[in-house]
Structures are given as structure tokens and as C-alpha cells.
């Protein structure tokens, strides 16, 4: 398609979406072209060159993404070099450590922001710059619902935390330091010192938390260039990767290589199985379930259990292991890891490099088998990944991260101690008079998608102080919340339906007996159906703070449950890139 322009003939680029803008006739074309000249672009800039957006989630409020502002410059160099035209644009961002009540409340807003910006503008392709937990899935979801050629670059992990001669890791060491402080084992000065030692460079968490999990998993699903997800943020090879990504996206436009061609069922199976082998975050369950529904791929909660029964944990990384992302990268990184898994992953899936998964990693080596373990010497045996438990307490399922739990608590019967809110639990947790033993089961509810709202990462409830002081390090905890990818403990998460939606979790009472039996995948409340039905008659949905108006109201009215990925019901699916002509 070549649009003839007012009084002249130019080739605006066969099939380029942007040509509908810049190749348009009459005043429409004049308007679109002329205003771009104010950015100093010569008149022939848009003739046949792919126009590439650079979606940037940098923000000084998202500390883990702040360096993306500079990384975008490297992407631009590659785009110009390959004959494209780059346009960088900001979107909503969401930094896990700061955003309240939880960054999860903004993931869908960010995805919607990106989707609408992509569709509304003359873009033939997009490079997605993300990093912190929610920013990566948000961008993949938004791009999937427009389906123009899209290439993700995550910002890379921080350098290892260094504290008094040893390594400390984001999140994981926070829980250790704060529990040690609450148990009176260390003083305030030590905690303050650790705060400075943990986050000592640009980049996202360098444990196998949610950010590193989503970075690696999105690479293994084909949306990032091979061998890039684990490159430290400050490593110049990441700048080179950004430059190469700029070049590659221009080729992807010419090849019409769109997310729908890459995010297939097999790609999701690779993501789910790679997550298990990484000892990755339970939050990947929520994000991949949501992403699958954007591209129309069948993916269920049970897949995260049944698909990983033969997959061992081979990445020896915190919280399930000992090392951090720098160690992982220098041990061989995502390439060495992928090659080690061999046929446990689909090797014929297409990726943004234009090559298949297998071609991307063929011959990659592992330089430190302590960190990236061989299959015959795993960190955790096959089947120690995510377990999906069901029963009368969680009819639509709940998840347990076995690789981060205490073996002896995976089968446990105990007395339930129940709190309706997180604040109520936290107020009691430090009470020396709290009547609790290590065999009890802590239940906190109304911390789910609607209840909190936003399903915060609070499922790894801090243990009661008196038990901590007695040396207790783990006990069974149940909630309709999420947990940090960097957390550990025998924690039952994502109980669905959530309490605030009237799920059975809303009906549990202190003193009831609960049995968690992970080997047989069951979570049972020893209360009969008649009694539960009687309790339900008295149940009233909790009043959720801020639900009267605004985004929070829209969110609560449309958010789906944990076994569907917490997307908004009207955002699921894709509407493609078509957009009406601009009416001047
Ligand atoms: C505080 C933020 C973390 C570390 O919990 C989150 O990034 C995660 O990995 O889930």
C-alpha cells in the first residue's frame, strides 16, 4: 500500500500501520506530519521507515526502573541504525516497595494505559522497558491486547547485596533481618546498616523474587532476546542488548512477528516449567494466568502443578537456595540454565530473536554447577514446585510453594486462629498474651483481590513474637493474599474464592480444625456443609476502604479471582491494532 500524498508521490512503507497517519492524504496527513516536525525531524523521516514506540516504565517512584531512562537511549540507537524511527513515551508505573495498598492494584491500569497508547498512535512496533514486579506482566498484557510486534527488555537485577563480608538479597534478607530484630537478636543499627547494603545499585531485586522470575520466564516464553534477562542492570552488556533490541524490533516489523505468534500454549508451558526449575515466584501464577487470557491461550491453575511434577529446581537462588542473580549470570545465566533443562522445555517455540528456543540456547555452557545445577544434582527434587491444593476451604484452589516451605509442615492438622484483617493480626502478633502455639494455623482473610483491595503480598505473615523468641521459624499460614517471590515458609496463598467474595474462607472461626495435606493436594476445614451453610446466612461482605468511587471501585467491581489472574473482566482478550481515522 503506498499512499499518494497531496501533490507528491512517496512510498510511505508497504503495509506499515504508521503510513495510515504519515502517508495520509490532505489535511490529515499534513497535520500528522507537520506537528512531528516540531521535534526537529526532517520531512523524509517517515517515508517507509517503521515507527517504533519505546514504552518506558521508568519513574523516580519506581526505584528498580529508574535506569530505564538511560537504557531507552541505547534502544533508540539501534532503531535508527536499523532504519526505524523511535518514539519514547511514559506510562503509568508501579514500584512494589512503595505503592500502596499494593502495586497489584495498578497492574491492570498500567496494562490499559499501554494498550490504549499503542492503539491510538502511529506505531508499527514497540519495545517494552520494564523491570519491577508488576511492570513486566502489565506491559506484556497491554501489548498482547494490541498485538503489534513487541519486544520486551527488563532492566536487570541489582548487584548482590553486600553486608559485613557476606551476600544479602532483596526481600529474603529483609524478612530475616526484621524477624531477627523482632526476636531481639539484632539491634536497630544493624538493620539500618543492612538497608544500605541490600539495594546498592540500579536494577530490580537480585533474589529469585517476582521481578527476576518474570524477567527470566518472559525470556523463556520468547518475549526477550536470549541471554539477556539476568544481565545485571549496571552491566554494559545490558546496554548492548538494548541496542540490539532496537535493531531487532525493526526487523520484527518487517517479519510481522507479533506476540500472538510467540505466546502459544507451548510458550506458556515453557514459562510454567521454567518457573518451577528457577524456584520462582508464586506471583508468576497470577501473571501468566492473566496474560494467557489476553492472548486466548487455555491455561489453568492446575497446570502450574501438573505441568511441573517432573521438573527439579536447578537454580540455587534465594529464597529456595543460597545464591543471587549475579552468581546466576556468571554461572551461565539464562542460556546455561535453558540448555541444562534440555527437552524438559519445548525447543521449537518461536522467539523475538526470530529463532526457536532451541536455536537460541544451543551449546550454551554452565561455568558454575554449584549455582546452575545439573539435572542429576538438583537443588530440589522434581515435584517440589508449586502445589495446587483444593477442598471445602478453597473450592477454586490455593497455592503452596513447596520449595520454600518446611517439609514437616506440608502435612499438618491444627487449630485455626482467625483474623478478619491484616491490621488486626499485626496488632495481636506482638502481644505476649496471645494464646498461640507453633502447631496452630494462622488464618488472615479479606486480603484478596476485592477484600484488601488488590491482593497484597502479605501471605507470609510475620510469626507471633513470643514464638519467634522461642525459636520458632515456621508455621502454617493461610490467606487469600499473595506473597513476595522472595519469601519462604509454609504458606497457603491465593485461596479462591476469596473471603470478600463470600468464599468459605469467610466462614472459618477460631477454634475450627484445618488439615493441610499437600501430598494429596487437599485443604480441608473440619466443619460440615450444614454448619457452613448456617454460618453463610450471617455473613456480610466487608466494606472495602476507597471502594466508593474511582479506580478502586472499578477494580473491585470487575477484578477476577486468583485462579483467573486478577485481570479486569472487560480487559481479557485482545482487540487488535485497528483504530478509526482521526477526524480533522
Ligand atoms: C518488596 C518487594 C518484593 C521483594 O516482595 C517483591 O518484589 C517480590 O519479589 O515479590
Amino acid at each position: 500500500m503506498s499512499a499518494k500524498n497531496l501533490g507528491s508521490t512517496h512510498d510511505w512503507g508497504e503495509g506499515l500501520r504508521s503510513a495510515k497517519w504519515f502517508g495520509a492524504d490532505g489535511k490529515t496527513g499534513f497535520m500528522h506530519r507537520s506537528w512531528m516536525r516540531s521535534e526537529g525531524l526532517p520531512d523524509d523521516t517517515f517515508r517507509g521507515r517503521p515507527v517504533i514506540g519505546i514504552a518506558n516504565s521508568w519513574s523516580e517512584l519506581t526505584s528498580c526502573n529508574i535506569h530505564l531512562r538511560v537504557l531507552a537511549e541505547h534502544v533508540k540507537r539501534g532503531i535508527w541504525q536499523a532504519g526505524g524511527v523511535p518514539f519514547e513515551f511514559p506510562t503509568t508505573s508501579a514500584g512494589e516497595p512503595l505503592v500502596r495498598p499494593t502495586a497489584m492494584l495498578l497492574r491492570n491500569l498500567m496494562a490499559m494505559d499501554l494498550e490504549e497508547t499503542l492503539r491510538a498512535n502511529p506505531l508499527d512496533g514497540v519495545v517494552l522497558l520494564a523491570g519491577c514486579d508488576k511492570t513486566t506482566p502489565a506491559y506484556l498484557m497491554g501489548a498482547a491486547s494490541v498485538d503489534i510486534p513487541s519486544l520486551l527488555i527488563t532492566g536487570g537485577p541489582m548487584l548482590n547485596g553486600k553486608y559485613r563480608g557476606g551476600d544479602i538479597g532483596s526481600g529474603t534478607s529483609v524478612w530475616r533481618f526484621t524477624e531477627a530484630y523482632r526476636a531481639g537478636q539484632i539491634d536497630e543499627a544493624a538493620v539500618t546498616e543492612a538497608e544500605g547494603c541490600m539495594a546498592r545499585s540500579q536494577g530490580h531485586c537480585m533474589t529469585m523474587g517476582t521481578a527476576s522470575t518474570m524477567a527470566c520466564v518472559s525470556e523463556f516464553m520468547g518475549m526477550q532476546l536470549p541471554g539477556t534477562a539476568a544481565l545485571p542492570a549496571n552491566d554494559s552488556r545490558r546496554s548492548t542488548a538494548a541496542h540490539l533490541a532496537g535493531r531487532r524490533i525493526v526487523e520484527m516489523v518487517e517479519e510481522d512477528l507479533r506476540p500472538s505468534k510467540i505466546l502459544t500454549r507451548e510458550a506458556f508451558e515453557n514459562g510454567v516449567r521454567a518457573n518451577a526449575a528457577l524456584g520462582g515466584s508464586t506471583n508468576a501464577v497470577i501473571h501468566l494466568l492473566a496474560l494467557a487470557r489476553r492472548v486466548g491461550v487455555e491455561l489453568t491453575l492446575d497446570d502450574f502443578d501438573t505441568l511441573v511434577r517432573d521438573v527439579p529446581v536447578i537454580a540455587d537462588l534465594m529464597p529456595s537456595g543460597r545464591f543471587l542473580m549475579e552468581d546466576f549470570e556468571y554461572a551461565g545465566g539464562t542460556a546455561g540454565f535453558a540448555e541444562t533443562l534440555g527437552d524438559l522445555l519445548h525447543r521449537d517455540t518461536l522467539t523475538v530473536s526470530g529463532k526457536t528456543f532451541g536455536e537460541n540456547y544451543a551449546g550454551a555452557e554452565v561455568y558454575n554447577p554449584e549455582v546452575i545445577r545439573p539435572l542429576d544434582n538438583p537443588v530440589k527434587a522434581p515435584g517440589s514446585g508449586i502445589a495446587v491444593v483444593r477442598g471445602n476451604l478453597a473450592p477454586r484452589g490455593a497455592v503452596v510453594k513447596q520449595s520454600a516451605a518446611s517439609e514437616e509442615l506440608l502435612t499438618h492438622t491444627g487449630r485455626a486462629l482467625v483474623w478478619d484483617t491484616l491490621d488486626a493480626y499485626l496488632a495481636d502478633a506482638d502481644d505476649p498474651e496471645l494464646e498461640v502455639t507453633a502447631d496452630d494455623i494462622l488464618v488472615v482473610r479479606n486480603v484478596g483481590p476485592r477484600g484488601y483491595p488488590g491482593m497484597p503480598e502479605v501471605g507470609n505473615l510475620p510469626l507471633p513474637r513470643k514464638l519467634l523468641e522461642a525459636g520458632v521459624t515456621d508455621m502454617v499460614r493461610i490467606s487469600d493474599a499473595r506473597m513476595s517471590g522472595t519469601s519462604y515458609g509454609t504458606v497457603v496463598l491465593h485461596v479462591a474464592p476469596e473471603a470478600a467474595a463470600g468464599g468459605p474462607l469467610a466462614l472459618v472461626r477460631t477454634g475450627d480444625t484445618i488439615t493441610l495435606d499437600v501430598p494429596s493436594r487437599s485443604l480441608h476445614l473440619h466443619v460440615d456443609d450444614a454448619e457452613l451453610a448456617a454460618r453463610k446466612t450471617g455473613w456480610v461482605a466487608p466494606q472495602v476502604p476507597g471502594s466508593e468511587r474511582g479506580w478502586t471501585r472499578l477494580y473491585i467491581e470487575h477484578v477476577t479471582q486468583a485462579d483467573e489472574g486478577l485481570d479486569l473482566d472487560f480487559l481479557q482478550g485482545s482487540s487488535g491494532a485497528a483504530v478509526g481515522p482521526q477526524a480533522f
Side-chain angles (χ1 to χ4, degrees):
M1 179 257 327
S2 56
K4 295 273 171 285
N5 213 351
L6 195 60
S8 68
T9 58
H10 294 295
D11 171 7
W12 296 97
E14 191 57 38
L16 287 177
R17 185 169 179 269
S18 60
K20 294 191 183 77
W21 278 257
F22 300 121
D25 264 342
K27 67 176 183 294
T28 301
F30 186 114
M31 304 280 270
H32 288 322
R33 290 185 297 273
S34 168
W35 261 267
M36 296 318 290
R37 304 291 296 280
S38 70
E39 295 191 19
L41 296 166
D43 61 5
D44 63 356
T45 299
F46 299 108
R47 297 178 190 162
R49 289 194 183 85
V51 177
I52 308 293
I54 302 173
N56 206 329
S57 58
W58 91 268
S59 161
E60 291 180 348
L61 293 170
T62 307
S63 57
C64 303
N65 289 17
I66 196 166
H67 61 301
L68 299 180
R69 184 162 49 173
V70 175
L71 208 59
E73 296 312 312
H74 293 277
V75 177
K76 289 175 191 170
R77 289 180 189 172
I79 293 170
W80 283 120
Q81 197 177 30
V85 181
F87 282 111
E88 180 186 1
F89 60 92
T91 69
T92 310
S93 186
E96 191 68 29
L98 287 186
V99 170
R100 292 187 173 194
T102 169
M104 193 64 182
L105 198 61
L106 300 184
R107 182 201 70 185
N108 302 338
L109 183 68
M110 190 175 166
M112 201 155 66
D113 177 352
L114 176 73
E115 173 179 353
E116 298 310 322
T117 304
L118 291 179
R119 188 173 297 111
N121 282 286
L123 301 174
D124 301 300
V126 64
V127 172
L128 308 167
L129 294 180
C132 191
D133 301 20
K134 309 301 175 289
T135 58
T136 297
Y139 271 9
L140 291 175
M141 291 160 66
S145 290
V146 178
D147 204 25
I148 60 173
S150 307
L151 193 160
L152 172 72
I153 305 175
T154 50
M158 287 183 246
L159 301 177
N160 291 2
K162 294 290 181 185
Y163 175 79
R164 298 185 181 179
D167 279 7
I168 57 173
S170 323
T172 305
S173 302
V174 175
W175 326 126
R176 294 206 195 293
F177 277 100
T178 47
E179 294 285 33
Y181 178 73
R182 287 180 66 237
Q185 292 153 358
I186 60 174
D187 62 14
E188 183 141 352
V191 174
T192 307
E193 182 188 346
E195 289 170 3
C197 295
M198 189 181 78
R200 64 185 187 93
S201 82
Q202 295 172 331
H204 58 66
C205 295
M206 82 313 268
T207 37
M208 187 40 71
T210 306
S212 294
T213 294
M214 293 311 297
C216 294
V217 162
S218 56
E219 178 184 319
F220 297 133
M221 293 176 65
M223 292 303 292
Q224 289 211 65
L225 290 176
T228 60
L231 281 170
N234 292 109
D235 190 308
S236 61
R237 292 170 298 170
R238 178 160 291 285
S239 306
T240 306
H243 186 124
L244 296 174
R247 284 191 200 158
R248 178 66 194 139
I249 186 67
V250 174
E251 295 164 357
M252 289 172 66
V253 170
E254 281 141 17
E255 297 159 12
D256 192 30
L257 182 49
R258 293 177 277 114
S260 57
K261 296 177 179 173
I262 293 174
L263 295 174
T264 60
R265 168 71 191 184
E266 288 71 26
F268 278 92
E269 290 182 0
N270 277 359
V272 170
R273 291 163 71 77
N275 185 46
L278 289 166
S281 172
T282 47
N283 292 314
V285 174
I286 303 265
H287 299 317
L288 294 188
L289 285 170
L291 181 59
R293 283 157 178 70
R294 291 290 181 119
V295 287
V297 163
E298 177 66 22
L299 187 73
T300 68
L301 177 60
D302 287 325
D303 284 331
F304 288 85
D305 186 338
T306 52
L307 277 174
V308 304
R309 298 282 173 89
D310 60 341
V311 180
V313 177
I314 63 165
D316 193 342
L317 297 171
M318 294 183 199
S320 301
R322 301 168 292 162
F323 300 103
L324 296 165
M325 290 301 284
E326 266 194 278
D327 312 303
F328 180 75
E329 176 57 29
Y330 309 149
T334 49
F337 173 88
E339 196 61 0
T340 301
L341 288 175
D343 295 333
L344 283 173
L345 299 181
H346 297 288
R347 305 187 67 79
D348 56 359
T349 49
L350 188 55
T351 72
V352 289
S353 70
K355 296 195 188 106
T356 65
F357 183 102
E359 289 163 343
N360 282 339
Y361 302 118
E365 293 189 44
V366 169
Y367 307 107
N368 183 345
E370 270 299 296
V371 180
I372 300 176
R373 302 285 195 79
L375 293 177
D376 59 8
N377 178 29
V379 180
K380 304 264 180 176
S384 58
I386 287 172
V388 175
V389 295
R390 289 176 193 279
N392 64 349
L393 194 48
R396 288 171 55 180
V399 302
V400 179
K401 185 176 182 177
Q402 302 179 88
S403 63
S406 307
E407 191 72 33
E408 70 280 6
L409 287 174
L410 289 175
T411 304
H412 182 76
T413 296
R415 175 182 63 141
L417 296 183
V418 183
W419 287 267
D420 277 327
T421 68
L422 177 67
D423 291 347
Y425 171 71
L426 295 176
D428 286 351
D430 285 350
D431 175 356
E433 301 312 311
L434 180 65
E435 212 251 307
V436 61
T437 73
D439 293 333
D440 289 331
I441 294 179
L442 306 178
V443 178
V444 169
R445 57 187 171 206
N446 301 317
V447 281
R450 292 187 201 164
Y452 196 71
M455 199 180 179
E457 289 188 344
V458 297
N460 60 313
L461 302 166
L463 300 182
R465 182 196 295 270
K466 63 190 279 184
L467 295 182
L468 269 180
E469 288 166 348
V472 175
T473 56
D474 193 7
M475 59 192 300
V476 175
R477 288 153 274 180
I478 300 176
S479 74
D480 42 10
R482 296 176 302 118
M483 94 170 170
S484 162
T486 66
S487 298
Y488 46 85
T490 309
V491 179
V492 180
L493 301 161
H494 309 185
V495 167
E498 65 176 309
L505 188 66
L507 310 176
V508 184
R509 292 181 181 161
T510 289
D512 288 348
T513 301
I514 294 174
T515 295
L516 170 65
D517 183 347
V518 173
S520 58
R521 298 299 191 259
S522 90
L523 181 64
H524 184 68
L525 172 63
H526 295 268
V527 175
D528 63 38
D529 294 350
E531 170 57 18
L532 286 176
R535 292 181 185 184
K536 183 75 186 240
T537 54
W539 178 76
V540 178
Q543 192 47 44
V544 179
S547 60
E548 306 74 28
R549 60 167 296 288
W551 171 253
T552 301
R553 176 173 165 187
L554 183 70
Y555 185 91
I556 289 171
E557 288 171 357
H558 292 279
V559 69
T560 56
Q561 290 290 293
D563 60 332
E564 293 180 82
L566 263 73
D567 201 352
L568 301 187
D569 49 20
F570 62 81
L571 287 176
Q572 293 177 324
S574 168
S575 318
V579 66
Q582 196 158 22
F584 282 122

